[in-house]
Amino acid sequence: MSLEETMKVLPGLSSTDIAVFHNDRVATYMRNDLLGQNNPLTRPSEGATNLLLALTRSAYVLTLFGSPSSPRCVGDLTFLHDERDQRSEISKLLRTIAIQASKENDDFLLKAREFLLWLRDWGHGTAGKPTAGAATVGALGMLSKEYVEAEFLKLLLSRERYSLARNLYDGGGPVRLPVEVVQDSVYESALSAFDNATNPNRSRGGLKRCDEIIHALPKTVGLSLPGTKRIIALLKATHALSDYRLVLKQGEPFSPVVLRVHSDPIFIIEKVLEQNPRAYTRLQEFLEMGMNMVRAGLPSYRKLDSPTLLTTDSELNLAAYIAERRITAMCIEAALKEDDFETAYSYVASRLSMQSPENSDTSPWPVVDEWSWKAALQAGQYIRTERSQQPTHLGTASGNLEIRHLEQRIECLATALRVAPTSQLQEILKSFRRCEEQLDSAIKEEAANELALGEEAKVDNLPGAFDQVNVEQQYPVRNTTASVAAQQTEEAPMSLFDLSRATARAAQRNFTAIPSLQSITRGADANNNEHEGGSLSRIRKRDQLREAATGTLVSGVGWLIGANVGQNKEETS
């Protein structure tokens, strides 16, 4: 029977008595006096024969999985009891198995698992790690069964064999491992995939595998576990960076592992703001990114290593507070660098106006807010230029842009005074006074300009304007004489009603001045003088001519002067 055929069914050496190989001199026997009569390894016996068979089969398994060995090399690995060498050996075996697994089905992986477990105990079935002085039971006898199973689980997850991993290790699978061991193996595999990723996009490459590994064993590794939440938050923070251009070193694109190992991950957001124009307008997105970094367990400040942090909750609250303040200050500074004072002012007014109790010098918190007051002071010291962006709306603010800008600067400086430590108040007050003086000067200048514009805007100065009526002329004083009053009354403007009435009266009073009727009147008077006893008909004719001449005027505007048209007609008749 060939060796390959014998290895189809792994032999058990549990019945073999190898107690003679316990002593410390067994390693010496492997190197010296191999043909000596007193060497238990080579002296003909059933135990020596079984040991040689185990060493030979172990060498065959190691060679089969890519680690060529001889029985003597396996003997050194077995009897020297060097755990580090055995860990190194199983790592080489797992790497080779992983390479072959991509071309094989699950049966190959299941057989490989059986070989690894057999190398550990040679079929004795011992579960734990051997204690000091115990018998060596296999080529990998210094490794516990849990360690071998955990390493094999990592192999399955790294090769995306999630279904087989669930069947073996999730919940009620045939392999009974402690829950903590399974969880640690899953987390380690997920972070390994994360560290090997080259693209920060969550739907590609290593980050995609990391996400899949986290969800591979839902019964054992639930989404509510703290470790799972940390990795999911890490994925979210990294994926958010994929929307921006980011280069930390010249010629080296950003890789996800940099975020996890960086001593100050929040600093990466500052680099994003520098390399992406107008990225500061997405403040809420950056705040969420910072919170995910905090939830992932990444440091939010280099000086957080303080012994005063007693509980996890207090550490989380402090890290979240620092991340929010730092990111807000970064966005304000980025907005000012791009001459967008309006956005910077809105962030100061809405995000930094409220003072937190952790800001005071007497606070028990180990870190004082040194970012908010600096950002507010920088906004308060900003001076508008030609490159400054214009406001999109004024609201209830002053229409004078200079006055409005100075008022906003004073508000930013007031915010800086509220949140700054006591040692910095003097410097902020100096800027506050200077800004107040500039505001007073601007207000006085605007008032002077409005007065000058009012003088220039008088009606008599405008082209084509009528003369203004003097108040004294329109309303005469009480002690004026009658002639002056009458003159003013005559010169006063008349309405259409007054004009019509005056016209009618003048026409009636000066009727005899009409040239066509003057000759008739003079002729009638001459005939009357020559013939004093003229007939009544001639007199009536004169009256008829007068009545006929005035009939049209009286009928048209007679109602204005109270003329009775009907009465005149009766008299005439």
Side-chain angles (χ1 to χ4, degrees):
M1 181 180 293
S2 63
L3 184 59
E4 290 81 0
E5 293 176 351
T6 60
M7 293 302 296
K8 288 181 180 180
V9 179
L10 294 176
L13 303 178
S14 57
S15 60
T16 303
D17 184 11
I18 53 175
V20 294
F21 308 123
H22 292 178
N23 56 57
D24 298 335
R25 297 187 61 187
V26 67
T28 304
Y29 292 146
M30 287 290 299
R31 298 176 180 275
N32 302 312
D33 298 332
L34 291 178
L35 299 179
Q37 293 293 329
N38 297 326
N39 192 332
L41 300 179
T42 58
R43 187 174 55 210
S45 64
E46 182 180 0
T49 304
N50 290 333
L51 177 60
L52 179 59
L53 181 61
L55 295 177
T56 304
R57 290 174 174 174
S58 299
Y60 169 76
V61 171
L62 294 176
T63 304
L64 181 65
F65 289 114
S67 179
S69 300
S70 63
R72 182 169 182 173
C73 293
V74 175
D76 291 337
L77 185 66
T78 303
F79 298 122
L80 289 178
H81 306 295
D82 192 333
E83 182 177 356
R84 185 175 59 181
D85 289 345
Q86 294 185 9
R87 287 178 180 269
S88 176
E89 192 67 28
I90 195 173
S91 297
K92 291 189 293 183
L93 294 175
L94 291 171
R95 284 195 297 268
T96 306
I97 295 173
I99 295 174
Q100 298 178 5
S102 59
K103 303 177 182 179
E104 302 289 343
N105 53 21
D106 290 347
D107 295 337
F108 170 80
L109 291 172
L110 291 174
K111 193 65 176 179
R113 172 177 170 271
E114 293 180 3
F115 279 145
L116 292 177
L117 294 176
W118 183 85
L119 286 174
R120 177 191 165 271
D121 57 18
W122 285 344
H124 282 71
T126 54
K129 179 179 177 180
T131 58
T136 302
V137 294
L140 303 177
M142 296 301 296
L143 305 179
S144 65
K145 182 179 180 180
E146 293 179 357
Y147 177 82
V148 177
E149 293 281 10
E151 292 299 313
F152 187 75
L153 173 59
K154 295 175 187 178
L155 166 65
L156 297 179
L157 296 176
S158 65
R159 305 314 299 178
E160 303 180 12
R161 299 300 180 93
Y162 307 125
S163 178
L164 180 59
R166 280 192 294 271
N167 294 334
L168 292 177
Y169 302 101
D170 191 23
V175 180
R176 303 292 183 178
L177 283 179
V179 175
E180 296 78 8
V181 175
V182 177
Q183 292 175 355
D184 291 343
S185 300
V186 171
Y187 295 151
E188 187 175 345
S189 299
L191 292 177
S192 177
F194 181 90
D195 294 342
N196 292 323
T198 57
N199 193 322
N201 194 311
R202 188 175 181 177
S203 60
R204 301 178 182 176
L207 263 64
K208 180 181 179 181
R209 287 195 296 271
C210 178
D211 190 24
E212 292 173 349
I213 291 172
I214 286 297
H215 298 83
L217 306 179
K219 295 181 180 179
T220 308
V221 185
L223 298 179
S224 61
L225 296 177
T228 307
K229 292 181 178 179
R230 284 194 296 268
I231 295 180
I232 292 177
L234 180 62
L235 290 173
K236 291 181 179 179
T238 310
H239 180 74
L241 291 173
S242 64
D243 296 333
Y244 302 95
R245 178 183 179 273
L246 178 57
V247 177
L248 298 181
K249 292 184 179 181
Q250 188 66 27
E252 295 183 9
F254 172 77
S255 57
V257 67
V258 176
L259 177 63
R260 198 168 80 88
V261 301
H262 203 283
S263 60
D264 188 13
I266 303 296
F267 176 76
I268 297 178
I269 298 180
E270 182 176 352
K271 291 297 183 182
V272 172
L273 294 172
E274 292 177 358
Q275 299 176 20
N276 296 267
R278 295 191 60 81
Y280 58 84
T281 58
R282 303 182 179 181
L283 173 61
Q284 190 60 41
E285 182 177 336
F286 287 116
L287 290 177
E288 184 65 24
M289 188 187 304
M291 289 303 301
N292 284 326
M293 292 180 183
V294 172
R295 297 188 187 104
L298 303 179
S300 62
Y301 189 47
R302 294 182 179 180
K303 298 181 181 180
L304 275 181
D305 297 330
S306 174
T308 58
L309 298 177
L310 302 178
T311 63
T312 303
D313 292 339
S314 64
E315 182 178 3
L316 180 63
N317 293 335
L318 175 59
Y321 168 79
I322 291 177
E324 179 182 359
R325 291 288 171 158
R326 288 186 65 189
I327 294 172
T328 303
M330 289 176 182
C331 289
I332 293 173
E333 294 174 359
L336 295 176
K337 288 180 181 178
E338 298 188 29
D339 294 304
D340 189 357
F341 174 79
E342 297 296 325
T343 301
Y345 163 75
S346 66
Y347 289 162
V348 173
S350 61
R351 300 284 181 174
L352 304 182
S353 58
M354 299 300 294
Q355 182 180 10
S356 177
E358 291 81 16
N359 288 354
S360 60
D361 292 338
T362 59
S363 172
W365 291 52
V367 178
V368 178
D369 182 6
E370 61 183 37
W371 309 280
S372 299
W373 70 268
K374 290 182 180 179
L377 176 60
Q378 187 175 353
Q381 294 175 341
Y382 179 82
I383 300 176
R384 293 177 67 250
T385 62
E386 296 179 354
R387 300 186 303 272
S388 299
Q389 298 187 22
Q390 299 296 326
T392 56
H393 64 280
L394 297 178
T396 59
S398 173
N400 189 318
L401 294 182
E402 185 64 26
I403 293 179
R404 180 177 182 272
H405 177 68
L406 290 171
E407 291 175 346
Q408 291 175 337
R409 285 180 55 191
I410 287 180
E411 188 174 349
C412 292
L413 292 172
T415 302
L417 287 173
R418 288 195 297 268
V419 301
T422 307
S423 59
Q424 304 295 333
L425 295 182
Q426 192 65 28
E427 178 184 356
I428 302 176
L429 283 174
K430 292 179 181 179
S431 300
F432 191 89
R433 294 192 188 99
R434 286 194 298 267
C435 192
E436 275 190 327
E437 294 173 357
Q438 295 174 5
L439 179 60
D440 293 340
S441 177
I443 292 176
K444 293 178 181 179
E445 182 179 356
E446 184 186 30
N449 293 336
E450 289 180 353
L451 182 60
L453 290 175
E455 293 294 333
E456 294 178 359
K458 286 185 176 180
V459 178
D460 53 356
N461 293 332
L462 295 177
F466 296 97
D467 294 338
Q468 286 185 323
V469 179
N470 194 347
V471 179
E472 296 180 358
Q473 295 178 358
Q474 188 173 3
Y475 303 98
V477 295
R478 295 178 181 273
N479 57 357
T480 56
T481 61
S483 60
V484 175
Q487 183 179 0
Q488 292 177 350
T489 303
E490 291 180 0
E491 294 177 355
M494 293 188 298
S495 64
L496 180 61
F497 181 81
D498 296 334
L499 180 61
S500 301
R501 176 177 291 182
T503 303
R505 288 176 178 175
Q508 187 177 17
R509 184 174 60 251
N510 300 325
F511 176 74
T512 57
I514 300 176
S516 62
L517 297 178
Q518 285 180 356
S519 61
I520 300 175
T521 304
R522 285 195 299 268
D525 291 340
N527 294 331
N528 189 24
N529 292 333
E530 293 178 358
H531 307 280
E532 294 179 355
S535 64
L536 182 61
S537 62
R538 297 181 66 88
I539 296 174
R540 288 181 177 272
K541 186 178 181 178
R542 181 191 62 187
D543 294 338
Q544 290 176 357
L545 291 174
R546 181 183 182 92
E547 189 67 24
T550 59
T552 304
L553 290 174
V554 172
S555 64
V557 295
W559 63 276
L560 293 172
I561 58 177
N564 193 342
V565 180
Q567 183 179 358
N568 293 337
K569 290 182 179 180
E570 293 176 0
E571 292 177 356
T572 303
S573 61

